Amino acid sequence: MVNNAQKMKMQNHRQRTAQLMQRAGYAAVAAALILIAAKLSAWAYTGSVSVLTTLVDSLLDAGASLLNLLAIRHALTPADNEHRFGHGKAEGLAALAQAAFIFGSAIFLMLQAGERFSNQHIVENSSVGIGVMIFSILTTFVLTRYQHYVVKETGSVAIQADALHYVGDMIVNGVVILALVLGFYFDLPWIDPVFALAISLYILTYAWGVLKKALDMLMDRELDDGERARIENLILAHEEVLGVHDIRTRISGPDLFIQFHMELDGAISLAQSYDIAEEVDREICQIYPHAEIIVLQEPYGIEVQKTILKKKKSAEPGDETANAG
């Protein structure tokens, strides 16, 4: 439905999207590895279970970001003969694995916090832990700024989810600083496992969000009503389009698939209907540049005629519906 110039524009956009998404993936993995080394040292010096929770969270970040990177690379692989709709659902499968791993890790941390309640431990070298947490916040802030830029340029759901997770990490690191200060300087040894338990519950909440996003993608969930209404308005804005129905949408990795039935004047030629469909396709792609669009042109009013025929057939003598009872 698109001309060569439009195809070239879409190809260039896809290449830039792929580069930005992959760079964001590499940046997330690198940042997670740096934070793992820093937090491992902090935990060795302090023995704080709150610091341990952030260390495990960074381990999760590294695993999640690595899976995300691999999934993005696979999802960006062009469609082939065996996968005509592309490989975008690789992101959903990776997110599903991430959710299972995160659930297990959160439960492990909750058990560690419970054990520390019965066997309280005085946190040592709190200044080291606080310094590492401040470093972690600054590193994560730089990463999330870049991720938000990539999301703005590409619309990537995977990078957006990763960025939201790292924003949550900054909050967690701030909570750990508070726990270290209260536990050491105010002699409250029980505050460390309390904060660790709270962080574990936060990780569980995050895991549920990841699981829901993965299932939505794998189950071909529709776009929200606002986006569907926007697409419908884009189609009907064309003066020669008389009606539209059966709009279907789904997201698969970086790709958005949109299909619909477009009603046109039945007296126009096939060539004219093709030109109209191509123009509508181009206008939608200006708003959704990563969309794959499937359009079926129909004569105006044919859907109403189909409905009338169905009602007539259902009311005919001998029909099971008419003779029910």
Side-chain angles (χ1 to χ4, degrees):
M1 285 293 179
V2 292
N3 55 33
N4 291 333
Q6 186 70 15
K7 286 181 179 179
M8 183 63 68
K9 183 179 178 181
M10 291 173 65
Q11 185 177 359
N12 291 338
H13 180 272
R14 187 175 181 85
Q15 288 176 349
R16 174 171 165 74
T17 296
Q19 289 177 349
L20 287 173
M21 289 173 65
Q22 290 181 13
R23 288 173 185 171
Y26 285 123
V29 172
L33 292 176
I34 292 171
L35 294 179
I36 287 170
K39 291 177 181 180
L40 184 60
S41 299
W43 179 51
Y45 274 101
T46 65
S48 167
V49 71
S50 292
V51 173
L52 174 62
T53 61
T54 67
L55 171 59
V56 172
D57 194 36
S58 290
L59 288 168
L60 292 174
D61 290 344
S65 294
L66 183 59
L67 275 174
N68 216 27
L69 177 60
L70 294 174
I72 286 171
R73 289 172 64 89
H74 191 67
L76 291 169
T77 304
D80 53 38
N81 291 334
E82 287 77 33
H83 306 89
R84 294 298 180 94
F85 289 96
H87 304 77
K89 287 192 177 182
E91 284 191 37
L93 292 172
L96 205 61
Q98 288 178 33
F101 185 55
I102 293 170
F103 268 117
S105 299
I107 292 172
F108 165 75
L109 290 174
M110 292 175 74
L111 292 174
Q112 288 293 308
E115 190 274 335
R116 190 58 61 88
F117 272 117
S118 59
N119 183 21
Q120 291 187 357
H121 172 78
I122 300 298
V123 176
E124 301 174 349
N125 300 310
S126 291
S127 58
V128 174
I130 292 171
V132 169
M133 291 303 105
I134 292 174
F135 170 75
S136 299
I137 290 173
L138 293 175
T139 303
T140 307
F141 177 78
V142 173
L143 173 64
T144 54
R145 289 302 89 200
Y146 180 65
Q147 287 178 320
H148 284 139
Y149 164 74
V150 173
V151 170
K152 183 179 179 181
E153 293 293 315
T154 67
S156 169
V157 176
I159 301 299
Q160 184 181 30
D162 213 29
L164 288 173
H165 181 209
Y166 280 106
V167 168
D169 285 353
M170 287 193 289
I171 298 172
V172 169
N173 291 329
V175 170
V176 171
I177 291 174
L178 181 60
L180 291 172
V181 170
L182 292 176
F184 182 74
Y185 294 101
F186 294 91
D187 192 24
L188 299 172
W190 53 267
I191 204 72
D192 185 42
V194 167
F195 276 62
L197 185 61
I199 294 170
S200 300
L201 292 174
Y202 162 77
I203 293 174
L204 278 176
T205 303
Y206 167 73
W208 172 250
V210 172
L211 177 63
K212 188 176 183 300
K213 284 180 178 292
L215 291 177
D216 284 347
M217 181 178 290
L218 294 173
M219 298 299 292
D220 291 333
R221 183 182 176 87
E222 288 274 359
L223 295 180
D224 60 50
D225 291 341
E227 289 296 329
R228 285 169 53 82
R230 186 184 188 189
I231 292 170
E232 183 176 358
N233 291 335
L234 283 171
I235 300 167
L236 293 174
H238 197 289
E239 60 181 7
E240 295 181 88
V241 177
L242 304 179
V244 62
H245 60 273
D246 288 348
I247 298 177
R248 297 180 183 181
T249 60
R250 66 184 179 92
I251 293 175
S252 181
D255 297 317
L256 167 63
F257 292 92
I258 303 172
Q259 63 184 77
F260 53 88
H261 292 227
M262 185 171 64
E263 299 180 33
L264 304 171
D265 186 346
I268 66 175
S269 67
L270 180 60
Q272 287 176 301
S273 70
Y274 178 87
D275 290 339
I276 294 169
E278 187 178 56
E279 188 172 339
V280 170
D281 186 307
R282 185 166 54 251
E283 290 170 357
I284 294 175
C285 285
Q286 288 178 354
I287 306 298
Y288 302 96
H290 58 300
E292 295 281 345
I293 302 171
I294 302 173
V295 185
L296 176 63
Q297 300 102 300
E298 291 183 357
Y300 177 67
I302 193 169
E303 190 66 19
V304 176
Q305 294 175 17
K306 288 178 181 177
T307 303
I308 294 173
L309 284 174
K310 284 181 181 179
K311 289 182 178 179
K312 285 184 177 180
K313 287 184 178 180
S314 65
E316 288 178 358
D319 182 80
E320 291 183 2
T321 305
N323 295 330

